Every structure is written in structure tokens, then in C-alpha cells.
Amino acid sequence: MRNLIAFLWKNYFFFLFVALEVVAYFLIINNNFYQRRVIINSTNDMLGNVFEGFDNFSEYLSLSKANRILSEENARFYNMRPESFIKNDTTTFFIDDTLYNRRFKYIAAKVISNSVTRRNNYLKLDKGRNHGLKPDMAVITSDGVVGQIIEVSDNFSSVMSILNNNSRISVKLKNANHVGSLFWDGTDYRMGTLVDIPSHVLISKGDTVVTSGFSHIFPEGKYIGIVEDFNIGTGDSFYSIGVKFSVDYNKIYYVYAVENLLRDELLQLDENKIAE
Amino acid sequence: MAGKTIIRFIVLLLLQVLVFNNVDFNSYVYPAFYVYFILLLPFETAGWLLLLSSFLMGLSVDFFTNSLGINAAASTFTAFLRPALFKLLKSKKEYVPGITPGIKDLGFRWFFAYALILIFAHHSVLFFLEIFNFNDALQTIHRIIASSVATIILVLLTQAFFNKKEK
């Protein structure tokens, strides 16, 4: 026993190194590999406040751009108001219509930190549990899809960007209606890769790519980008398609968190199917 | 000396999370400039302190980047290599207590080799852990080299700047 202690003591540098690496390894496994089971992360309020303070400064520098985007968005919403439409039909209808159930709820939030240069990128929003944000809600902007919420604290939330090794989004080609899977290969933050589109589908450059809505997270038909290039490897039966994102991820200021109000019901259905 | 090191810890941490993590160089370049802290720890730093302070530095950066453990693992590995590297790199001067591992005390060639090896080791661990597979190894290596070059340029510039100031 004494020899063992002496041995450990003599080589403590090595053993301390191994111990610290093991600690780091467990932290990585618990917090990175299973993204959704994040225990301690930067969403906690103290760090959120640091980011918010810093962001207030950088936001000041980009006010004009943010204003322009907001006013464009305002204009679009004005266009959607009932006053902007003329009523053509004369059929009677009930105001309290039960034919329509609200399926998606939008909550506006501000981005307080963002990155595009890492292999795994995250955003932080200034809204959290208190404002109704929950993990697995979709995050979109007026131009397209941003990512999904992975962790919320009382006042802040972390979003896994589309620009992340762990991000897979179910998308479809708007014209062909074929469904594939979109991920990011880590090279260029303006380009994503779309796979699983079978080779018999006719694609052309400029085709629109939208969300499929199959994941129960994103609403169907949200704009993602356009086809920039595509190819089939020899002997492959699926395309590899380069998609140019519609959103410039390096300048996102205001986003909407989208809650699928029927998600639990859909997941319940999936679970029942598996159980059978 | 201890006070100076603690100040350097805080300044480099803030620089890393507030500046370098936010500057968009290129999707391949991510300078982990905080390694400078490990490079400049005094020679007489005890082994446990070297490992623990490096681990703490990495962990602190991790807290801000949502990558818990990755920077900590890379930093601890770098700290572990450091004493062995001192033995490997011969210098005209003795590693007497009081001198720091810098250009001023040990010359440009010594420091360049020292910084290059440690930064490259650090970035290799960092980027491979971040990806967590070897599928796109070539792309990862590309990223490691580009980022290492950026970091070493920053380290050398900082060295040059602060040496001049002290004269």
C-alpha cells in the first residue's frame, strides 16, 4: 500500500493529467454528445447577462440594419392585415370558427449571441421559460430557418443553429415534393448539404428548398434556400445537393420561436406505434 | 508573479470570449488565443498547478461557448506536454527560476518552436474533439493548420509588443 502511494505520488503529474482528462471527457460526453441533456451550460442567467451587456453594445453598432429589417417586416405584416384585403365571397361564416385550430404559436425574441465560424454553432436568445419558450421549439426569421431550441433558463435560451454538426432538418424540394435531409458540412456558412433525394428526381439550379414539417418541430413550407449545385457520385442512387441558405446567419438580430401546439399529440402517436 | 498570472488569466479569458469568439475570420480560422496563458506560465510552476490552472482556463472558455469539456481537455493536454517539451527543447540559457518562457529570456527561435508545438497540439485536440469523429479528417486538419497559424501570429505579435514596452 505504501509502495502504491509512493508510486502515485512520484508520478502524480501523469495521474493528475489523466484524472483531469477523464473529467473533461465526461463533461464532453454528458454535455456535447447528447446536446439536449445539457446540464450546465451558458444559458444560465449570469453568463446570459454578460452576453446581453456585450450585445447591447454591438447592437448599437448595427441599429440601422436592424431598423431596416424591422420596417420591411412591418410592411409585410401590414400587407397581411384584414384591412389590406377585400372580401369577395358572400357566403356566411361564423366568427367563432372551430374548423381552424391554432397549430403554431410565434414568439418574437432577440438574438444576444451568435456564431458562424465554429463547427458547432449556437445562438442565445433573450427570452426563456418565463416567456413561454421550451426546448425543441423551432427558431426562424422572416427569411428562413435558424435552428431549434435545446435549452432554456428562466430568461434566456440556447439555440442549436442549422450550422451545427448535430443539426439534421427534414426538408423537401418545393417543386418535386421529394423529402430529404439537410445538414451543414462545416465549410461555408452560406451553404448547406441536402441528401437523400433519389437520383430519378429532376432538379435544376435555383429550385426552392423548404421545410417538410415531418419532424413536428418546424412548420411546413418554411423557406430554407435554393439549390446551388448538385451531383451524383458514380454508383450512387442519391443526389448530394448544395443549398444556398436564404438567411445570412452572420446577421440575425430578431427571430421567432415557433411552438407546435400539437407536437405532444404527434409524439404520443409515434410512441404508441412503437409500443405496439 | 502570481498576481500577474491571475491578471493574465482574466484578461485572456475575456479577450477570448468577448473578442476572438466573435470575430469572423473565416470558417476555418478560430484562434484559441487563450493558450497564451499556458505558454507563459513561469518555469517554476508546480506540476499540479500547471495542470489545474490550464484545466480551469479551458473550462472557463467552455462555459461561454456551450462546448463543455472540449477546451478543458485540449488545455490540460497542452499543459501535460509542456514539461516534456522543456526537456526536449535545448536552450543556451538555463531554465533558472525567475525567467519566463518568452522571447526576451530565451530568444526567438526557442520560443517559436515552443509555441508552435504546443499550439498545434492544443488545436489538434480541440478540433478533433469538437467534431468527435474522423470522417472529415482532411477538413479538420485543414482547420487545425489554419487556426494554429492564426494563433501563433497573434502570440508572436503579443510577445513583440510587450517586450518592446518593457525595455
Side-chain angles (χ1 to χ4, degrees):
Chain A
M1 190 66 198
R2 194 182 296 160
N3 281 346
L4 181 68
I5 292 170
F7 173 72
L8 287 177
W9 181 247
K10 214 176 134 195
N11 296 300
Y12 86 94
F13 185 69
F14 177 73
F15 289 111
L16 181 62
F17 163 68
V18 172
L20 288 176
E21 289 289 4
V22 168
V23 171
Y25 178 76
F26 276 110
L27 288 175
I28 294 171
I29 294 301
N30 286 328
N31 298 297
N32 294 283
F33 203 66
Y34 301 105
Q35 300 281 0
R36 290 174 195 191
R37 282 146 190 77
V38 180
I39 299 164
I40 328 161
N41 69 3
S42 54
T43 18
N44 82 46
D45 286 2
M46 186 193 78
L47 296 178
N49 283 326
V50 173
F51 276 118
E52 199 173 28
F54 186 68
D55 185 67
N56 282 341
F57 173 70
S58 55
E59 190 195 32
Y60 177 75
L61 300 175
S62 48
L63 270 182
S64 63
K65 205 184 297 162
N67 275 337
R68 188 177 55 76
I69 292 168
L70 279 178
S71 61
E72 278 171 8
E73 208 162 314
N74 259 333
R76 193 153 49 243
F77 288 140
Y78 275 125
N79 286 331
M80 282 155 59
R81 284 172 69 97
E83 294 93 271
S84 309
F85 292 90
I86 204 160
K87 209 166 131 237
N88 284 328
D89 68 322
T90 49
T91 336
T92 46
F93 64 95
F94 294 102
I95 303 275
D96 213 7
D97 197 346
T98 50
L99 271 178
Y100 291 95
N101 273 334
R102 178 170 274 272
R103 175 156 183 208
F104 292 104
K105 197 171 92 184
Y106 291 72
I107 301 166
K110 204 181 87 183
V111 176
I112 56 171
S113 95
N114 181 21
S115 73
V116 296
T117 54
R118 309 305 309 274
R119 182 63 183 89
N120 292 331
N121 295 293
Y122 298 88
L123 297 97
K124 216 148 282 145
L125 308 181
D126 72 337
K127 297 263 163 65
R129 203 178 290 123
N130 292 345
H131 312 90
L133 268 64
K134 294 172 197 150
D136 288 333
M137 280 170 74
V139 177
I140 62 171
T141 70
S142 44
D143 299 333
V145 168
V146 175
Q148 69 190 71
I149 296 178
I150 52 165
E151 181 73 14
V152 291
S153 63
D154 284 345
N155 295 307
F156 299 100
S157 50
S158 273
V159 179
M160 179 169 79
S161 164
I162 236 182
L163 308 177
N164 192 303
N165 199 22
N166 302 294
S167 165
R168 290 278 182 287
I169 294 183
S170 174
V171 299
K172 63 179 181 186
L173 292 164
K174 201 177 177 187
N175 292 337
N177 257 326
H178 274 274
V179 177
S181 170
L182 182 94
F183 65 94
W184 186 55
D185 66 359
T187 41
D188 182 350
Y189 78 86
R190 284 163 299 195
M191 296 287 296
T193 307
L194 168 56
V195 292
D196 295 348
I197 301 285
S199 56
H200 68 266
V201 181
L202 290 175
I203 323 180
S204 54
K205 198 178 158 184
D207 277 359
T208 310
V209 179
V210 296
T211 52
S212 70
F214 287 179
S215 65
H216 312 329
I217 293 176
F218 291 100
E220 189 190 338
K222 287 292 168 199
Y223 194 34
I224 295 231
I226 55 168
V227 173
E228 177 89 357
D229 53 54
F230 54 90
N231 59 63
I232 309 177
T234 36
D236 257 349
S237 48
F238 293 98
Y239 281 106
S240 171
I241 305 171
V243 177
K244 189 170 193 314
F245 292 130
S246 56
V247 180
D248 186 341
Y249 290 105
N250 205 16
K251 46 174 189 186
I252 314 177
Y253 301 99
Y254 292 90
V255 295
Y256 302 96
V258 188
E259 183 178 8
N260 185 349
L261 298 169
L262 303 181
R263 182 161 189 269
D264 286 344
E265 190 181 326
L266 289 162
L267 289 179
Q268 186 70 42
L269 195 63
D270 286 351
E271 261 170 39
N272 290 347
K273 208 169 74 188
I274 292 162
E276 267 169 21
Chain B
M1 197 60 125
K4 219 173 160 184
T5 305
I6 291 167
I7 291 170
R8 192 182 296 135
F9 183 98
I10 295 166
V11 169
L12 283 173
L13 176 64
L14 289 178
L15 262 180
Q16 184 68 40
V17 296
L18 295 182
V19 180
F20 291 111
N21 282 354
N22 291 305
V23 178
D24 178 11
F25 293 95
N26 175 308
S27 60
Y28 278 102
V29 179
Y30 168 72
F33 183 59
Y34 71 89
V35 193
Y36 192 56
F37 170 77
I38 304 168
L39 293 179
L40 248 63
L41 282 172
F43 279 106
E44 62 269 29
T45 311
W48 63 271
L49 190 61
L50 171 68
L51 288 174
L52 274 180
S53 58
S54 304
F55 179 79
L56 207 66
M57 184 74 191
L59 197 67
S60 311
V61 174
D62 278 329
F63 269 117
F64 286 91
T65 53
N66 234 328
S67 57
L68 211 58
I70 291 175
N71 284 296
S75 301
T76 313
F77 179 68
T78 314
F80 176 70
L81 288 185
R82 213 179 89 127
L85 191 64
F86 283 152
K87 278 184 201 148
L88 197 76
L89 289 172
K90 298 279 186 314
S91 163
K92 277 171 228 156
K93 282 194 184 175
E94 292 284 313
Y95 301 139
V96 287
I99 67 169
T100 45
I103 292 177
K104 199 174 70 166
D105 288 326
L106 291 153
F108 179 80
R109 278 185 59 185
W110 183 90
F111 183 77
F112 183 72
Y114 165 71
L116 188 70
I117 293 170
L118 283 192
I119 288 171
F120 187 71
H122 176 273
H123 285 37
S124 303
V125 175
L126 182 69
F127 287 108
F128 271 113
L129 276 181
E130 191 181 14
I131 300 277
F132 223 76
N133 68 43
F134 287 100
N135 287 348
D136 286 325
L138 219 65
Q139 196 198 87
T140 311
I141 290 167
H142 186 167
R143 190 171 267 135
I144 290 166
I145 293 171
S147 301
S148 297
V149 169
T151 309
I152 194 132
I153 289 171
L154 284 167
V155 164
L156 291 177
L157 282 176
T158 315
Q159 273 282 305
F161 182 71
F162 280 98
N163 274 352
K164 215 175 247 173
K165 230 177 169 184
E166 278 172 31
K167 266 175 198 170

